Amino acid sequence: MDLIANKRKLKNLINFLIFLLGLLLVAHPFIARYLHNQAARTEVQEFRDQSIKIPKTELDRRIELAEAYNSTILPSMNGIVDPFTAKQKEGIREYARMLEINEQIGYIEIPKINISLPIHAGATEEVLQKAAAHLQGTSLPVGGEGTNSVITAHRGLPSAKLFSDLNKMKVGDVFFVHNLRDDLAYKVIETKVIEPSDFESLQIMEGEDRVTLLTCTPYMINSHRLLAIGKRVPYHQGEPADIQKLSETDQWNKWLIAIILLLLLLLILFLKSKSKKKIRH
C-alpha cells in the first residue's frame, strides 16, 4: 500500500510540476513586459524630474548645440559635412551628450499602441533590448525645419513590448517626442516597408520637420524594415492622452498576474488537501 501511495504522490507531483511549468511559460511574457513597462516608466519620470532642475539658460544652450549638430547633416544622408563653425564642431564632438540625463536623451509616447519609452543615443544592441534608440547620423530629436530624426526599437521581444505593435500605426495617428526642453507632436503621414539598405526613405525633406519610427518586419523574420513617418504638428497642452491608456493597460496586466498567482495558490491548496485525505484513508 505504501508503494502504491508513493507512486500516486510521485505522479501528482510530476503533474503539478508540469502544470506549474506550463503556467510559468504562459505567465512569463506578461510578467516580464509588465516589469519592463514599470522600469521604463521610472526612467521616463526620472528624466522629467531631472530636466526640470536644469536652468533655462542651460537648456537653451544644449538645444542650440543639438540644432548645430543637426545643421551638419546632409539631406542625402551621405554622412556629416565638414564642420565650419566652432559651435558645430562642439555639437558634433558631443553627439547626443548635450541632451542626455543618465544616458537618456528624451522619451517617446505613442497613444495608438500604448507605449512610453526612454530614448537613448545610438542604436546599440544593449540599448535596443530595453528602450528606443536614436539612430546616429540622423537629426537629433529637437525639431526644426530640414530635420528627420529616426527613432528605432525592437519587435517581438518576450521581455519587452517596445515597437512590437508599430504595424498598427496608420496615417493620421499622432505620437509625441519629449526632449530636455520641448514637447513635440508628430502626425503619421506615411507607413511603408523598405529594404534594410534603403536609406532614401530616411532622407531629410527640405523645409519639413519629421520623425521616423523604424523597426524590423515581418514579425520574428526581420528581413525588412517597417517605417512610420511623422510630420510635425502643433503640440497642445494636456497631450498626450496615452497616460490614461497606459494606466488602464497596467491595471489589466496587474489583474492578469494576480489571477495567475491566485490559480497557482488554489492548485497548491487543492493538492495539499487531496494529499491529506489520502493519508487519512
Side-chain angles (χ1 to χ4, degrees):
M1 292 294 293
D2 289 340
L3 181 61
I4 294 174
N6 288 335
K7 284 183 177 180
R8 284 178 178 173
K9 287 181 181 179
L10 180 60
K11 184 179 179 181
N12 287 337
L13 177 61
I14 292 172
N15 289 335
F16 170 70
L17 291 175
I18 291 173
F19 177 83
L20 179 61
L21 179 61
L23 189 62
L24 290 175
L25 288 173
V26 171
H28 175 263
F30 296 99
I31 296 173
R33 287 189 172 191
Y34 172 76
L35 294 175
H36 174 268
N37 286 342
Q38 294 307 306
R41 288 285 195 82
T42 299
E43 194 172 348
V44 165
Q45 189 59 52
E46 287 176 354
F47 183 86
R48 285 173 174 165
D49 294 341
Q50 292 298 317
S51 62
I52 292 172
K53 298 177 183 178
I54 300 174
K56 184 179 183 304
T57 53
E58 175 61 13
L59 288 176
D60 292 342
R61 187 189 74 85
R62 294 192 187 189
I63 296 297
E64 188 178 345
L65 280 176
E67 290 171 344
Y69 173 90
N70 286 347
S71 72
T72 68
I73 299 175
L74 287 172
S76 62
M77 303 297 295
N78 287 331
I80 298 175
V81 300
D82 293 331
F84 50 87
T85 69
K87 191 166 289 294
Q88 285 173 325
K89 286 180 181 178
E90 187 179 355
I92 292 172
R93 184 170 61 251
E94 289 292 309
Y95 175 39
R97 288 206 299 272
M98 78 286 285
L99 298 179
E100 285 184 353
I101 294 177
N102 298 327
E103 300 182 351
Q104 183 182 346
I105 65 171
Y107 59 98
I108 183 168
E109 297 181 292
I110 310 178
K112 178 65 175 288
I113 56 177
N114 294 337
I115 61 169
S116 178
L117 294 173
I119 302 173
H120 290 254
T124 64
E125 187 58 31
E126 182 182 1
V127 168
L128 292 172
Q129 287 288 329
K130 62 180 181 180
H134 168 256
L135 187 62
Q136 189 170 358
T138 69
S139 309
L140 289 169
V142 294
E145 291 186 1
T147 62
N148 188 1
S149 181
V150 179
I151 308 299
T152 182
H154 271 322
R155 282 182 90 194
L157 295 184
S159 59
K161 183 179 180 182
L162 300 175
F163 278 3
S164 291
D165 293 336
L166 193 65
N167 61 301
K168 296 179 181 178
M169 296 290 284
K170 305 296 182 185
V171 172
D173 291 334
V174 177
F175 60 91
F176 306 89
V177 175
H178 308 267
N179 58 47
L180 283 171
R181 189 187 67 182
D182 301 317
D183 303 304
L184 312 175
Y186 292 85
K187 181 179 287 187
V188 176
I189 58 172
E190 184 181 7
T191 61
K192 62 193 303 186
V193 174
I194 63 170
E195 297 282 346
S197 58
D198 178 12
F199 295 109
E200 185 177 350
S201 299
L202 307 181
Q203 288 184 4
I204 291 169
M205 303 300 291
E206 185 176 354
E208 291 192 6
D209 182 341
R210 292 186 172 192
V211 167
T212 299
L213 309 181
L214 181 152
T215 193
C216 296
T217 197
Y219 191 78
M220 302 300 289
I221 297 175
N222 305 334
S223 59
H224 290 69
R225 301 293 177 260
L226 173 65
L227 306 181
I229 302 169
K231 186 176 179 180
R232 181 88 172 269
V233 294
Y235 179 91
H236 301 291
Q237 193 65 31
E239 293 178 321
D242 63 322
I243 303 286
Q244 181 62 32
K245 289 184 179 181
L246 285 165
S247 178
E248 291 171 358
T249 301
D250 282 348
Q251 289 298 324
W252 165 246
N253 287 335
K254 285 180 182 178
W255 277 109
L256 185 60
I257 292 170
I259 290 170
I260 291 172
L261 293 176
L262 179 61
L263 287 174
L264 180 60
L265 178 61
L266 290 173
L267 177 64
I268 293 172
L269 293 175
F270 173 75
L271 291 175
K272 281 187 176 181
S273 174
K274 192 173 181 181
S275 177
K276 286 180 180 179
K277 285 181 180 179
K278 287 183 178 178
I279 291 172
R280 287 173 185 171
H281 288 307

